[in-house]
């Protein structure tokens, strides 16, 4: 149904969770953990500020789920053992106390890993050197290295890692997990034709390239039960290939969203450069396609700056919830600002210079607000 009025501040239920409003914080890597993968000292205040600022849901930065090939960045936090899980408990408690739900994003970097303290090397679906250059604001430099092609044992490690991390997220008190299936990281490398040259059961036609998604989703569901929320994130663009589009367009969107919904996710989170734009030049946005074909709750993300952007998406039934990224960094209280008709601060990329970490951002904010 088009053009109904949706109250931004009304409840919405995703799976077994009831969000107090339609507003979420998008997952953002901030490379501010400790070297052992536990949460760092600046992270509690950082996440709690979004909760105090009125967001109904916060999605964490991507956490690496295993001690094999999943870590992407130096000082990225992980969710692979009890110490790492326990380090999140005070953050989860603070976020809950301040009134938000909290979902852990689980991210396997695959071929895009820029640093791995466990293996010191990369693995992906196939030995294909990634396009583009490493991100310097995450301690990277120069070309990506060519990954080794994962064998069956490596793929089992990936699935077991996601399952273990989801159990640890539950143990830490999170309200759910979001599987990072987007932005060019490992799972996305499996669905993307030029990074997946496999001829086994994980390569070939789209449904075979999606097989690892099925194994990850259904294995997590079996481990955490029906009450724990599971979401999945999709994008067309990648951090190392912004312009990438799904080759069979609507057909790929239909197959992908129908497939993951059938596997048992509670929500689909889509991210595009601009959430409102048609996914393939004309027609529906990626979020609308997820709603149409997935039949589960949809979170839309990308260039949502102000209340008007949020309203357009929600009133046109393009998504159920909107997720704000960079504008939430400039305005951790974005929902409260909107509610009280106050002016928003603009986002400034200087906040990430030279590193996209919390120390750099806090110094920037102290000087500029
Ligand atoms: C510093 C930074 C870190 C990010 N890290 C992640 C991440 O860990 N996982 C993820 O799915 N997306 C990540 N993203 C992408 C955002 O979630 C979001 O899709 C993107 O910023 C576009 O939304 P926006 O226009 O509201 O900023 C990151 C973005 C930024 C700016």
């Amino acid at each position: 149904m088009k053009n109904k009025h949706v109250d931004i501040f009304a409840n919405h239920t995703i799976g077994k969770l009831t969000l107090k409003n339609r507003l979420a914080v998008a997952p953002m890597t901030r490379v501010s953990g400790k070297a052992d993968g536990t949460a760092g000292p600046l992270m509690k205040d950082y996440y709690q500020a979004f909760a105090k600022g009125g967001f109904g849901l916060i999605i964490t930065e991507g956490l690496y789920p295993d001690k094999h090939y999943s870590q992407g960045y130096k000082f990225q936090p992980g969710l692979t053992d009890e110490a790492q899980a326990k380090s999140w408990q005070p953050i989860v408690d603070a976020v809950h106390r301040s009134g938000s739900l909290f979902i852990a994003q689980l991210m396997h970097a695959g071929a895009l890993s820029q640093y791995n303290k466990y293996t010191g090397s990369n693995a992906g679906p196939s030995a294909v050197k990634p396009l583009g250059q490493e991100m310097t604001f995450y301690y990277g430099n120069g070309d990506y290295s060519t990954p080794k092609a994962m064998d069956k044992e490596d793929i089992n490690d990936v699935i077991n890692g996601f399952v273990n991390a989801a159990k640890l997220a539950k143990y830490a008190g999170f309200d759910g997990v979001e599987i990072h299936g987007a932005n060019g990281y490992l799972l996305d490398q499996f669905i993307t034709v030029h990074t997946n040259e496999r001829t086994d059961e994980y390569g070939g036609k789209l449904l075979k390239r999606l097989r690892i998604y099925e194994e990850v989703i259904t294995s997590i569901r079996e481990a955490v039960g029906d009450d724990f929320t599971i979401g999945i994130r999709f994008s067309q663009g990648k951090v190392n290939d912004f312009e990438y589009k799904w080759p069979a367009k609507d057909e790929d969107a239909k197959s992908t969203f129908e497939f993951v919904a059938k596997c048992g996710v509670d929500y689909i989170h889509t991210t595009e450069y601009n959430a409102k734009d048609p996914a393939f030049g004309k027609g529906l946005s990626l979020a609308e396609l997820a709603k149409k074909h997935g039949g589960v709750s949809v979170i839309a993300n990308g260039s949502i700056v102000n209340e008007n952007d949020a309203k357009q998406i929600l009133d046109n039934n393009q998504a159920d919830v909107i997720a704000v990224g960079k504008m939430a960094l400039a305005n951790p209280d974005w929902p409260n600002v909107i509610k009280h008709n106050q002016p928003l601060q603009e986002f400034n990329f200087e906040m990430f210079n030279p590193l996209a970490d919390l120390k750099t951002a806090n110094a920037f904010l102290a000087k500029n607000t």
Side-chain angles (χ1 to χ4, degrees), residues 105-340:
Q105 190 189 54
L106 308 180
M107 164 177 155
H108 193 306
L112 293 190
S113 173
Q114 301 188 177
Y115 174 86
N116 184 315
K117 88 184 189 92
Y118 304 99
T119 55
S121 63
N122 294 358
S126 300
V128 177
K129 185 180 160 79
L131 300 169
Q133 303 266 301
E134 292 190 354
M135 286 177 270
T136 54
F137 69 20
Y138 293 150
Y139 299 94
N141 100 71
D143 286 3
Y144 289 99
S145 21
T146 303
K148 86 159 196 169
M150 288 184 164
D151 58 26
K152 185 70 180 98
E153 200 183 322
D154 295 321
I155 292 179
N156 284 339
D157 288 340
V158 170
I159 292 157
N160 292 335
F162 272 103
V163 168
N164 185 51
K167 287 202 250 175
L168 289 169
K170 198 171 174 179
Y171 167 79
F174 283 105
D175 300 291
V177 288
E178 176 173 293
I179 301 159
H180 198 342
N183 297 8
Y185 294 105
L186 180 74
L187 299 183
D188 191 31
Q189 288 155 29
F190 271 90
I191 44 173
T192 302
V193 178
H194 67 81
T195 46
N196 183 349
E197 300 176 337
R198 303 179 74 94
T199 52
D200 64 0
E201 65 269 39
Y202 296 98
K205 290 202 160 76
L206 177 59
L207 288 184
K208 289 177 84 183
R209 302 195 313 273
L210 277 164
R211 180 186 177 115
I212 193 164
Y213 285 77
E214 175 180 14
E215 293 183 353
V216 169
I217 297 165
T218 56
S219 307
I220 292 180
R221 178 60 78 202
E222 202 181 304
V224 298
D226 285 339
D227 290 344
F228 199 59
T229 295
I230 303 175
I232 187 144
R233 190 174 220 219
F234 282 101
S235 65
Q236 298 193 86
K238 309 175 192 308
V239 292
N240 62 331
D241 187 5
F242 301 126
E243 307 290 320
Y244 184 81
K245 293 282 177 196
W246 289 354
K249 302 182 179 171
D250 294 84
E251 216 177 288
D252 279 353
K254 180 173 188 294
S255 305
T256 301
F257 296 138
E258 277 179 3
F259 184 81
V260 293
K262 235 190 292 159
C263 293
V265 293
D266 297 300
Y267 74 86
I268 297 171
H269 182 177
T270 59
T271 172
E272 289 270 87
Y273 175 70
N274 188 323
K276 296 192 288 299
D277 287 349
F280 306 108
K282 58 180 169 40
L284 303 183
S285 68
L286 198 65
E288 278 178 297
L289 289 163
K291 269 198 80 78
K292 179 173 168 189
H293 300 298
V296 293
S297 287
V298 170
I299 303 178
N301 165 254
S303 301
I304 295 162
V305 172
N306 54 34
E307 182 179 13
N308 208 25
D309 296 327
K311 268 185 171 309
Q312 271 187 52
I313 293 172
L314 296 169
D315 288 353
N316 289 331
N317 200 26
Q318 291 202 25
D320 303 291
V321 172
I322 57 110
V324 184
K326 294 182 291 295
M327 281 301 280
L329 299 182
N331 305 270
D333 54 351
W334 195 93
N336 291 344
V337 171
I338 296 292
K339 200 178 212 167
H340 301 295

